[in-house]
Amino acid sequence: AGQQAVARRLMAIAQGYRQLGRRYLYGGDGRSTDGIDCSAFVRFAFGRAGVLLPRTSREQARVGAVVPRDIGALTDGDLVFFAAPGERISHVGLYI
């Protein structure tokens, strides 16, 4: 990855750390103090780093490059998506 991409990943991670302790709220978009959900958290962190992402985890999974399903292939700042077997994506996290 280029230096700018690495810098954006690190900035997104730093923004994510600033959200520690914030209440999780399914559907929470982060605009209120009530809480924030996983995809809004990821969108917020990367938005502060200058990367615009869609709102939901399913939409976020459709953008960017696919990373192999190997923990050794993950890089800090990669998005990790979760789904129950046979189900659609329902959760996203920020790998650090």
Side-chain angles (χ1 to χ4, degrees), residues 30-80:
R31 290 185 284 184
S32 75
T33 57
D34 292 341
I36 190 168
D37 71 8
C38 59
S39 57
F41 163 79
V42 166
R43 185 176 192 216
F44 171 83
F46 273 95
R48 290 292 177 110
V51 179
L52 300 178
L53 292 175
R55 171 61 181 95
T56 69
S57 56
R58 288 182 198 116
E59 293 169 334
Q60 290 171 359
R62 294 186 191 112
V63 299
V66 175
V67 177
R69 287 186 179 199
D70 174 9
I71 194 126
L74 293 174
T75 301
D76 289 347
D78 281 344
L79 300 185
V80 192

